[in-house]
Amino acid sequence: MPSEMLDGTHVEASMPAPGDGVRSVTFETTGRGLEVTDRIDRKRYALRTPTRVSPEAVDTDAFRFPVDAAVAIETEAIVLPTVVAVCLRDADGAMLANAEHFADLPFDGDVSVELCAPIRLYLRVNGAGVIRADAEHTRIEFEEPTELLVGARSKHEYPVATITTTDDPADLMAAISTFGSALKTTTPERSYPTFRGHPPAIELADELSIPDGLDRPETGLTIELPEAYRYIFAAAPLAYYFGAELVPGPTPRLLNDDEVLTEFDEHRFEEQVGELLKHAFFLDCVTRTEGLYRVDLHERRSVESVLDVDFAALYELSIADRLAAYLEIPHEEIEPHLPDWKLTAHVSTRPESAETLPFLVNDLALIRTPQQVAETASTAEVSAVNDFLRDSFVRSTSARPVERSYVQPEATDSIEQVWIGKETPIGASKATTEAYRNRFGRALESGSIEITVVCNDEQMDQERSVVDDVYGSRTELPFDVTVRRELTTDELSDLLRESADFFHYIGHIDERGFECTDGWFDATTLDSVGVDAFMLNACESYEQGMALIDRGAIGGIVTLERVVNEGAMRIGGTLARLLNCGFPLRAALEVAKGDNIVGTQYLVVGDGGLTIAQSEGGTPNLCIIEREGDDFEITIDTYTSTSGGMGGLTMPLIKSNETYYLNSGRLDTFRVSKEELEEYLGLEDVPVRLCGQLFWSSEFSLDEI
């Protein structure tokens, strides 16, 4: 449903997004309070105050940590819409304490308060007060009206420059060696996503050209590799995270100056590189608890019982010496405690694949390079699908099979899989360089989240009704939902050219394009599109979806073959709810297709890490609930977005829990009472799995389990 912005004063006090000179973070007064908006990532966060405030722009140098914007207000208190992790620091940035749910933390003097909200917020105040939190809100109160400096930083990261390179392996090594220039520190804190910048972009050209300013940190680390794409591509995440230089060599190995730290088996190279990245990243996450953020981390508790390690001493070492010390720790001792890795990218060893590496590395993806791909068309699979669909009402008017070249990447233990190549993947999403680049051309918006729903077949109107109720159902976010029916070709063409955050199509698609009231519309005839993301819930919509990506869209969900209307309606409604709750495209599809027979026919194309709305609780999560006598067991699975990033922290707001967890994959299983579980599920509407089926926390009773 549509949602209206509260009228108020608009203050722009921020750094411009690269290349456009337009400010990305803004402040706006509401009736009583201040709303901060990230106009690129489409995120907003409200700070409520007892009385109306009048923000004035101030210098960002007042904050120890970098901020993109800052204002001053006078108030007696601020109330946050959710419970967030709070770090209290002195004027020099040293951590004094941290506060979570059910906190009661007094302070006095010149202090800064860091709020781990969807937009990173910093408060600077000189006075006395207290930080309090219950199960739903965090509140900061002052003894008297006090001047409060509010700083905000977007989590959105850009490539700061573009490197051109030839397809020569040595030139590619030189280009990838600049990736470490994006690191904001070489301490273990770089395992936090906010301490890792976006690597520079890569474009293939006739010569190697590296812009000034892309200097790697002086780590002393070098990775020697044979001059072959399969080694270079797979080593790119290490070059980034270690700030290492890639150089030609006869055998793959990692060196600290002239000292060999480890040699890789050429036959197990990709496996060993992935293991090393996981190993070092995890130990950095644990070691960093001795640094800027001294939190009680579940993973540290888990490994301290099996490792005899001085984490404080490790923290003080240089990056190279720390890595050497990490390599002395047997991997099998920490492997059971590693977080689920977010993403594995299967990258074809073609020169053009190099252009996707900066975007994959920004996600800390593990990179595999399949040596051969399937060249079979879809005829056999189509035949099997047709047997199932023959007697069903399907979303297609065509009986002609679509001929495609399919590939099925090797399964891995990562949560998500992505394919980089010309082929159509099975069991993975399909990303393209164009989609990633489209994300960085995304328009700045401070208004509502624009969603357009089109239903071009009255027999499918039930799905239209379901998704219309879902989109915009979150009262704390401003949505503008437009529903259109029975469009002509010209009307659909005009609509796709218009700017929108999400386009949800319900109807028929075949080799001719979208069915309209006066014929068929082919998206390949468009010069450009204005929609950021889309779902084409129709049969065989893959080609039309790829056409939208090629013309400016960032990501979307499409179908490979024909789909039964009833199943398509269920999965369409489920995906709408997941996207509305802040799940990224790729994660939403993984959850939605789990209990739907037609789910295997759906595919994410483009940038699968894109979200159309922010998650109310910070990190999207799925709960698995089982009854244990009079109590319940709840298992929490989390799904990290690109802007969230590997290495962030999350704390389940369960009353008996006071521990932080790394934010990727399965966190833990908690035994709770009925009252505790009802309180937790009441915090936000989240997907819940019961007996293998998907429900929503707002729509069932624990008495039914």
Side-chain angles (χ1 to χ4, degrees):
M1 64 178 63
S3 179
E4 296 182 356
M5 288 281 290
L6 294 171
D7 43 346
T9 303
H10 187 71
V11 178
E12 290 192 357
S14 65
M15 295 176 59
D20 61 15
V22 182
R23 303 185 186 280
S24 60
V25 175
T26 62
F27 296 88
E28 186 171 2
T29 58
T30 61
R32 290 184 178 180
L34 188 68
E35 186 166 72
V36 190
T37 301
D38 181 341
R39 297 196 290 163
I40 297 177
D41 269 351
R42 309 296 200 268
K43 292 182 178 178
R44 59 186 64 229
Y45 202 70
L47 308 176
R48 288 193 286 120
T49 56
T51 58
R52 189 178 183 88
V53 295
S54 300
E56 296 183 1
V58 297
D59 197 321
T60 58
D61 291 341
F63 298 87
R64 183 179 186 277
F65 292 96
V67 297
D68 298 331
V71 296
I73 62 174
E74 184 174 271
T75 184
E76 295 178 352
I78 62 169
V79 180
L80 311 185
T82 59
V83 177
V84 300
V86 178
C87 296
L88 182 67
R89 301 183 184 277
D90 65 20
D92 296 323
M95 190 165 174
L96 301 174
N98 63 284
E100 302 89 20
H101 57 310
F102 310 112
D104 192 341
L105 178 64
F107 60 85
D108 194 1
D110 187 0
V111 298
S112 64
V113 182
E114 183 177 350
L115 306 176
C116 301
I119 303 170
R120 188 58 63 106
L121 298 173
Y122 299 88
L123 312 179
R124 188 73 186 267
V125 62
N126 193 347
V130 62
I131 301 169
R132 292 192 172 98
D134 54 23
E136 297 182 354
H137 303 285
T138 297
R139 183 182 181 92
I140 303 174
E141 301 170 339
F142 309 106
E143 291 186 354
E144 59 185 5
T146 301
E147 182 183 64
L148 179 68
L149 303 186
V150 183
R153 184 175 78 237
S154 171
K155 295 182 181 180
H156 188 85
E157 295 284 355
Y158 292 88
V160 297
T162 298
I163 298 167
T164 60
T165 177
T166 71
D167 58 7
D168 180 77
D171 285 349
L172 283 174
M173 286 188 189
I176 293 169
S177 294
T178 67
F179 284 5
S181 65
L183 296 176
K184 301 176 183 179
T185 181
T186 58
T187 69
E189 274 83 11
R190 76 189 189 286
S191 57
Y192 282 110
T194 51
F195 284 83
R196 301 190 300 269
H198 199 294
I202 287 179
E203 288 184 6
L204 293 179
D206 295 331
E207 63 179 5
L208 174 67
S209 178
I210 299 176
D212 294 337
L214 298 182
D215 300 321
R216 289 184 302 106
E218 296 182 3
T219 64
L221 295 169
T222 303
I223 303 173
E224 292 183 354
L225 299 171
E227 294 184 66
Y229 290 159
R230 78 177 186 93
Y231 293 106
I232 298 169
F233 291 178
L238 294 187
Y240 171 63
Y241 189 71
F242 294 156
E245 181 180 12
L246 302 187
V247 298
T251 59
R253 58 183 188 166
L254 172 66
L255 300 93
N256 176 16
D257 294 327
D258 294 328
E259 177 190 359
V260 177
L261 296 183
T262 188
E263 294 185 346
F264 300 102
D265 183 335
E266 294 186 25
H267 302 291
R268 299 180 56 236
F269 179 71
E270 293 174 0
E271 176 187 347
Q272 291 178 340
V273 162
E275 183 178 290
L276 176 57
L277 180 61
K278 290 180 178 181
H279 187 91
F281 178 82
F282 174 76
L283 289 171
D284 272 345
C285 289
V286 175
T287 303
R288 74 191 185 193
T289 57
E290 294 290 337
L292 294 174
Y293 299 89
R294 299 183 175 232
V295 301
D296 186 1
L297 183 67
H298 165 79
E299 286 78 6
R300 175 162 179 169
R301 285 188 177 188
S302 299
V303 298
E304 278 184 319
S305 61
V306 297
L307 298 181
D308 183 17
V309 173
D310 185 346
F311 289 110
L314 282 175
Y315 183 84
E316 298 300 329
L317 296 176
S318 69
I319 183 174
D321 290 341
R322 192 183 313 112
L323 179 56
Y326 288 169
L327 290 170
E328 296 295 321
I329 299 173
H331 186 69
E332 58 268 18
E333 292 190 5
I334 66 169
E335 187 172 21
H337 309 288
L338 297 178
D340 297 326
W341 208 256
K342 177 190 174 185
L343 181 64
T344 291
H346 305 267
V347 182
S348 64
T349 51
R350 301 182 177 104
E352 58 268 23
S353 297
E355 296 186 335
T356 66
L357 292 178
F359 308 104
L360 300 174
V361 163
N362 184 57
D363 244 350
L364 280 189
L366 305 178
I367 294 180
R368 300 281 184 92
T369 57
Q371 299 306 298
Q372 57 184 350
V373 298
E375 296 181 354
T376 56
S378 62
T379 305
E381 186 164 322
V382 169
S383 177
V385 173
N386 285 346
D387 288 343
F388 173 71
L389 301 179
R390 186 169 292 117
D391 297 323
S392 305
F393 171 55
V394 297
R395 298 191 171 189
S396 176
T397 60
S398 173
R400 185 177 69 83
V402 177
E403 297 293 328
R404 300 191 191 100
S405 177
Y406 284 93
V407 60
Q408 186 159 10
E410 180 183 356
T412 72
D413 58 2
S414 293
I415 300 171
E416 303 169 21
Q417 316 285 324
V418 63
W419 171 257
I420 307 294
K422 298 177 180 178
E423 300 78 14
T424 303
I426 298 172
S429 64
K430 179 183 174 72
T432 66
T433 306
E434 290 78 10
Y436 289 124
R437 289 175 178 163
N438 292 343
R439 183 172 193 153
F440 295 106
R442 195 179 197 188
L444 291 165
E445 296 287 349
S446 58
S448 302
I449 299 171
E450 302 282 345
I451 295 178
T452 301
V453 180
V454 171
C455 182
N456 260 11
D457 189 313
E458 63 180 11
Q459 295 184 74
M460 305 175 191
D461 198 54
Q462 187 175 352
E463 179 182 341
R464 192 277 313 158
S465 177
V466 170
V467 300
D468 188 25
D469 290 340
V470 170
Y471 291 131
S473 59
R474 294 174 57 186
T475 56
E476 81 280 9
L477 295 179
F479 283 84
D480 186 357
V481 182
T482 302
V483 178
R484 303 285 298 276
R485 297 178 179 84
E486 305 298 326
L487 297 187
T488 66
T489 54
D490 286 344
E491 288 171 334
L492 182 57
S493 174
D494 291 342
L495 187 149
L496 289 170
R497 289 189 177 93
E498 295 173 0
S499 176
D501 294 286
F502 193 70
F503 170 68
H504 188 136
Y505 176 81
I506 306 163
H508 294 292
I509 291 177
D510 65 16
E511 67 276 7
R512 294 167 290 182
F514 297 80
E515 185 181 36
C516 299
T517 56
D518 61 344
W520 296 84
F521 176 73
D522 185 355
T524 63
T525 62
L526 290 168
D527 294 327
S528 63
V529 299
V531 299
D532 286 344
F534 55 85
M535 179 177 180
L536 306 183
N537 204 7
C539 291
E540 301 171 347
S541 60
Y542 173 79
E543 279 73 21
Q544 293 298 304
M546 291 303 299
L548 296 180
I549 294 292
D550 292 340
R551 286 153 181 80
I554 301 170
I557 299 172
V558 298
T559 61
L560 293 174
E561 308 294 350
R562 297 196 296 166
V563 289
V564 178
N565 184 58
E566 183 179 351
M569 182 186 67
R570 288 200 306 271
I571 204 166
T574 300
L575 282 166
R577 296 194 72 159
L578 291 166
L579 295 171
N580 191 62
C581 286
F583 278 74
L585 295 175
R586 197 163 44 225
L589 182 57
E590 285 299 310
V591 174
K593 71 182 184 181
D595 62 345
N596 195 309
I597 194 169
V598 302
T600 57
Q601 298 303 321
Y602 286 79
L603 173 74
V604 170
V605 294
D607 184 353
L610 182 68
T611 59
I612 65 168
Q614 68 197 53
S615 170
E616 185 176 351
T619 302
N621 65 92
L622 166 73
C623 300
I624 303 167
I625 298 176
E626 295 182 357
R627 180 181 281 277
E628 290 290 331
D630 292 333
D631 294 331
F632 295 86
E633 283 192 346
I634 177 172
T635 301
I636 301 175
D637 290 345
T638 57
Y639 296 85
T640 307
S641 66
T642 297
S643 60
M646 288 280 296
L649 297 178
T650 186
M651 174 183 280
L653 298 182
I654 294 172
K655 202 162 190 176
S656 57
N657 176 60
E658 297 182 352
T659 306
Y660 285 94
Y661 291 78
L662 297 178
N663 67 343
S664 180
R666 180 151 296 182
L667 302 186
D668 211 339
T669 298
F670 303 88
R671 184 155 184 157
V672 295
S673 67
K674 179 182 178 183
E675 291 72 22
E676 284 180 297
L677 184 54
E678 286 177 335
E679 183 176 314
Y680 177 75
L681 296 177
L683 295 175
E684 61 176 313
D685 195 18
V686 296
V688 175
R689 249 186 230 295
L690 297 171
C691 303
Q693 290 188 298
L694 194 66
F695 298 88
W696 290 85
S697 58
S698 61
E699 295 181 351
F700 74 93
S701 168
L702 293 179
D703 293 330
E704 300 172 2
I705 303 177

